[in-house]
Amino acid sequence: MAQSSAQKTQRIGISLEDDLLSQFDDLITKGGYTNRSEAIRDLIREKLTAQKLKAPETTAIAAIFVVYDHHQAKLAQKLIQLQHSHIIHAISSIHIHITHHNCLEVILLKGKVKEIQKLADSILSLKGVKLGKVNLIAAED
Ligand code: NI
């Protein structure tokens, strides 16, 4: 991520067993990294973000993936109602007709982790919803 002001950087040394280092190098090579520092920085950021997202008050952006049977009476309307009625901000939604029976809806939201989870639970428990997945990223520095 681009930073508006240059931050002071510190060099640190890490001791690792040969075997662990070799596995790490394999992993980051497969991931397309050309140096260890960038891979380690990303791992640290990932861990910090995961930690933040465990806190219910953290503001996050969520993508909720919902696969549902569009023949299920009034389900599409209920999905829309839930997005309108909730206190968190629904940014956008995308609808894709996958097969004759199934539709995919991706709902993008911004709100506190606890509110997103509440809405996701309401959506995923609707009759006719076959699959659901919630992806979160922290919307904070
Ligand atoms: Ni559809």
Side-chain angles (χ1 to χ4, degrees):
M1 189 187 289
Q3 303 265 328
S4 55
S5 61
Q7 290 200 24
K8 195 168 161 259
T9 312
Q10 293 193 34
R11 291 185 70 87
I12 56 165
I14 302 172
S15 305
L16 290 176
E17 295 87 356
D18 286 347
D19 184 44
L20 188 59
L21 182 59
S22 143
Q23 288 185 59
F24 180 67
D25 283 343
D26 283 350
L27 180 79
I28 67 174
T29 303
K30 281 177 192 152
Y33 288 98
T34 52
N35 72 71
R36 289 171 178 157
S37 291
E38 188 53 30
I40 290 168
R41 279 192 288 270
D42 281 359
L43 278 178
I44 293 171
R45 285 190 203 106
E46 198 180 304
K47 188 75 183 167
L48 290 171
T49 301
Q51 198 60 37
K52 270 188 195 170
L53 290 173
K54 284 182 186 166
E57 298 295 327
T58 296
T59 300
I61 304 287
I64 304 177
F65 292 76
V66 190
V67 175
Y68 65 95
D69 182 347
H70 81 150
H71 293 111
Q72 183 68 44
K74 301 206 172 134
L75 179 59
Q77 268 172 286
K78 280 182 197 156
L79 275 175
I80 292 167
Q81 274 171 13
L82 271 172
Q83 291 176 63
H84 276 284
S85 66
H86 226 264
I87 58 168
I88 58 177
H89 184 52
I91 299 167
S92 182
S93 67
I94 302 162
H95 183 105
I96 298 161
H97 316 294
I98 308 175
T99 63
H100 179 65
H101 288 283
N102 293 330
C103 294
L104 166 69
E105 190 124 341
V106 183
I107 304 161
L108 298 174
L109 307 158
K110 184 176 182 181
K112 289 184 190 296
V113 168
K114 64 178 181 186
E115 299 297 347
I116 290 170
Q117 204 54 58
K118 203 164 132 191
L119 178 61
D121 289 345
S122 316
I123 289 173
L124 302 182
S125 62
L126 288 173
K127 193 178 175 197
V129 170
K130 294 177 173 178
L131 281 172
K133 188 164 172 48
V134 184
N135 285 314
L136 291 173
I137 56 166
E140 297 171 354
D141 287 329

